[in-house]
Structures are given as structure tokens and as C-alpha cells.
Amino acid sequence: MLDFIMEDEFTLIMIKPDAVKRGHTGAILKRIEEEGFRIRGMKYVSLTKAQAEMFYIVHKERPFFGELTQFMASGFIVAAVLERTNAVAHWRKVIGATDPAEAEDGTIRKLFAASKGENAVHGSDSRENAKLETSFFFNALELV
Ligand code: IDP
Ligand code: MG
């Protein structure tokens, strides 16, 4: 299942609780369209702490794991599968560095993120993780 998500054409993104709470969802979705992404699946959800821990399991030994998973469970998020040429790398470029203080002008994190932890958006960092993260949120029926 989800084997069609094999090429560099797909990535999994989230609009994180801070950006949803501050009313930046529309602006970020507009940017997604302006950057030439096609939305292949999208949902508005809230994660429990346990679900956030599952999503970010690769970071479980990091000092910020508790803070991160608490934050990700603190409000609604938008999760979406985006399609575009070179999707993973392009989205990482559009969102900017993890810490908004280090993000380039015009990037989503520079525009909308408050801090390194509460940094507005997520983007898969590889094709393999895009696939794993997509299967965390979506089944085949939920992707167009
Ligand atoms: P990324 O989201 O840019 O790929 P990662 O290093 O994969 O960054 O970290 C995952 C998420 O963990 C970040 O987006 C951010 O929300 C949070 N995070 C990373 N480093 C820190 C930190 O030093 N303090 C608090 N939260 C952090
Ligand atoms: Mg990452």
C-alpha cells in the first residue's frame, strides 16, 4: 500500500499547532499552491501525546523530545501530502531552517515561526521518511 509514493514527487507536511492557533493556515496553504504543489491528501486533526511520540520516534533520545511532543499535542494541526517535482527538497527550502532566527527571508519559518520549537511547519527530510510519515496519517483511500 502507498507504493505509488516512491519517487521524489511527494512529501508529507504539517502545519503545526502554533501556526494554526495564530491563524496562519490560509497563508501557508496559499504558499503551498503558489510554490506549485498539488495537494493529494489533507486532514485537520489533533494528536495525542502518544501519537506525537510515535510520529517523532526518531527524536526520542533528543533533549527536546518531551517539549516537542507536548507542543505537537497542544492543538489542531493540518497534515498534507504534497506533490511536485523535487517535493522533499523544495518544501524544505520553502520552510527554511529549523530555527526561525536562522531561516532565510521569505521562508515560512522566517515569516510565521516564533521559536526553534514552535516553528510553524514540518516537512519530511527524505523520500523514505515522506513515505513513512504519509502512512502515519493517511491510508490509500484518503489520497487522491
Ligand atoms: P526539522 O523540523 O527542521 O526537520 P528536526 O531537527 O528534525 O528539525 O527537529 C524536529 C522538530 O523538533 C523541529 O521542527 C522543532 O519543532 C523541534 N526542535 C528541534 N530542535 C529543537 C530544540 O533545540 N529545542 C526545541 N525544539 C526543537
Ligand atoms: Mg526533521
Side-chain angles (χ1 to χ4, degrees), residues 64-80:
F64 56 81
F65 186 65
E67 181 190 333
L68 169 62
T69 53
Q70 183 90 27
F71 162 60
M72 288 304 294
S74 69
F76 299 119
I77 65 166
V78 175

Side-chain angles (χ1 to χ4, degrees), residues 41-110:
M42 182 160 67
K43 52 175 70 168
Y44 190 57
V45 287
S46 62
L47 298 178
T48 63
K49 180 102 170 5
Q51 288 168 331
E53 287 168 359
M54 249 186 281
F55 184 87
Y56 280 113
I57 195 73
V58 295
H59 291 313
K60 68 177 185 305
E61 307 299 342
R62 307 284 282 278
F64 56 81
F65 186 65
E67 181 190 333
L68 169 62
T69 53
Q70 183 90 27
F71 162 60
M72 288 304 294
S74 69
F76 299 119
I77 65 166
V78 175
V81 175
L82 305 185
E83 177 186 18
R84 186 194 185 282
T85 311
N86 209 14
V88 168
H90 190 76
W91 180 250
R92 297 288 302 196
K93 191 172 164 209
V94 167
I95 68 179
T98 307
D99 185 344
E102 290 164 17
E104 280 182 41
D105 282 350
T107 60
I108 290 176
R109 282 168 168 168
K110 184 67 159 201

Side-chain angles (χ1 to χ4, degrees), residues 56 59 92 122-125 133:
Y56 280 113
H59 291 313
R92 297 288 302 196
H122 168 82
S124 308
D125 62 5
E133 292 173 1

